[in-house]
Amino acid sequence: MDTSYIEKHIEQLKNDIYQKVHHKTLVKYTGNPLVDENQLFYLLLPFFNGEFWNDDIYKGIIAVGIVQASLAKHNLVDEYNATTKEQQLTVLSGDYYSGRYYEILAKSGNISLIRQLSESVILRSEHEVRVYEPIPYAIDDWFESLSVIESECISRFYQIYNFNKYAKIMQHHLLILRLQNELLNYRKGNSSLILQKMIESFESGNSIQFEQMLQTKIDELIHQLQELLRISSMKAELKQYIAEQLIRES
């Protein structure tokens, strides 16, 4: 198993997700679903590592991918003027994707995954709405929120199929990637709402110190992830792939 093998299966999963939610008008005005290839990798990680795998599990990861695409579409709404056709169709596309994943899981009879994904969406939404609350959350609370937003749906999938041994690696890596992206945008002067809240929570108003704090947190998480990989029984090729992703994104 090499990088090309992994990327081939990620691309296949992406295409299968596209196929399940394809709608000509929505694609025309809002584009394809927004899927994160790093998240897709972690949905496929148990398969790559030789765990028991069947069509029902694969349908489950397609459903999880659609859930995350739905949430990503809804998060784009603020980028549009409230009266535009694009915004209306973006909301509709998110709702359409939600309906499709419920349909897929209902047909498969996978009620447990429906329940877990529904709970994960609720939890994610609770953490995403924090940016609109007047409550003064601490920096660590925002790190927790970002982790939930990036990894909660996959964590629930792992719970259902007893793949929990991969959870910490997945959670650390996805949080690292999110923080690296937030830091990159911050340096470009394009902070997200959640990063703006983190800045407000930071004790010092010094932007340089905030950037240093964020980089220190990333470095700390990378060190923890490297240790998790060292003690993991996962295939060496997968450990190497994850390590290369860290280098590529640094």
Side-chain angles (χ1 to χ4, degrees):
M1 178 174 55
D2 57 14
T3 299
S4 62
Y5 176 87
I6 293 172
E7 292 177 347
K8 175 185 175 182
H9 281 276
I10 291 173
E11 189 65 24
Q12 182 62 57
L13 175 55
K14 185 195 300 185
N15 289 334
D16 289 342
I17 291 171
Y18 287 171
Q19 184 179 4
K20 289 294 183 182
V21 297
H22 180 78
H23 189 288
K24 185 177 180 181
T25 300
L26 294 178
V27 170
K28 178 180 178 181
Y29 287 99
T30 69
N32 281 318
L34 298 175
V35 292
D36 186 311
E37 292 186 0
N38 294 299
Q39 291 176 335
L40 298 187
F41 166 75
Y42 279 105
L43 286 170
L44 288 167
L45 178 57
F47 163 74
F48 291 141
N49 203 43
E51 301 287 354
F52 172 76
W53 206 254
N54 58 27
D55 287 343
D56 286 339
I57 296 176
Y58 191 68
K59 288 177 183 177
I61 68 172
I62 289 175
V64 176
I66 294 173
V67 170
Q68 296 185 133
S70 169
L71 295 166
K73 279 294 186 183
H74 280 142
N75 287 342
L76 285 180
V77 172
D78 287 341
E79 296 181 9
Y80 297 100
N81 182 281
T83 61
T84 64
K85 180 189 296 184
E86 285 81 3
Q87 184 198 26
Q88 297 168 28
L89 288 172
T90 298
V91 173
L92 285 174
S93 67
D95 293 342
Y96 175 71
Y97 299 161
S98 296
R100 290 295 287 137
Y101 89 75
Y102 277 122
E103 179 185 28
I104 291 168
L105 294 178
K107 285 183 176 179
S108 70
N110 199 337
I111 304 303
S112 295
L113 190 53
I114 292 176
R115 183 181 299 113
Q116 289 292 338
L117 286 179
S118 298
E119 290 176 1
S120 74
V121 170
I122 291 171
L123 184 58
R124 271 191 54 149
S125 298
E126 288 174 350
H127 279 268
E128 288 181 326
V129 82
R130 281 182 171 184
V131 298
Y132 301 104
E133 296 175 348
I135 301 171
Y137 290 105
I139 287 291
D140 286 342
D141 293 328
W142 293 115
F143 288 139
E144 177 192 6
S145 290
L146 286 172
S147 183
V148 168
I149 290 166
E150 293 299 313
S151 62
E152 186 63 23
C153 291
I154 302 174
S155 294
R156 298 301 180 112
F157 167 75
Y158 284 176
Q159 288 177 32
I160 288 292
Y161 293 106
N162 297 316
F163 298 145
N164 286 323
K165 64 182 179 181
Y166 304 105
K168 285 187 177 180
I169 290 173
M170 177 271 297
Q171 290 161 355
H172 273 70
H173 194 188
L174 293 182
L175 179 55
I176 289 166
L177 294 174
R178 176 62 185 266
L179 290 176
Q180 286 176 332
N181 186 60
E182 292 286 351
L183 181 56
L184 179 63
N185 287 331
Y186 176 73
R187 287 169 173 167
K188 293 179 178 178
N190 185 25
S191 300
S192 66
L193 283 176
I194 200 165
L195 195 67
Q196 291 172 27
K197 286 291 186 177
M198 290 175 69
I199 294 169
E200 291 175 11
S201 301
F202 190 54
E203 292 181 0
S204 169
N206 188 308
S207 60
I208 295 176
Q209 290 180 343
F210 176 78
E211 184 175 330
Q212 290 173 340
M213 179 277 297
L214 204 52
Q215 185 61 62
T216 298
K217 179 65 175 181
I218 292 170
D219 293 340
E220 175 186 322
L221 288 167
I222 289 175
H223 176 75
Q224 292 171 0
L225 177 57
Q226 289 170 335
E227 180 61 17
L228 288 169
L229 290 173
R230 187 187 67 79
I231 64 176
S232 171
S233 60
M234 199 162 51
K235 291 179 180 178
E237 306 97 298
L238 294 170
K239 293 183 182 182
Q240 181 63 29
Y241 179 84
I242 294 170
E244 288 175 355
Q245 295 299 109
L246 285 176
I247 296 170
R248 189 179 306 174
E249 298 294 337
S250 296

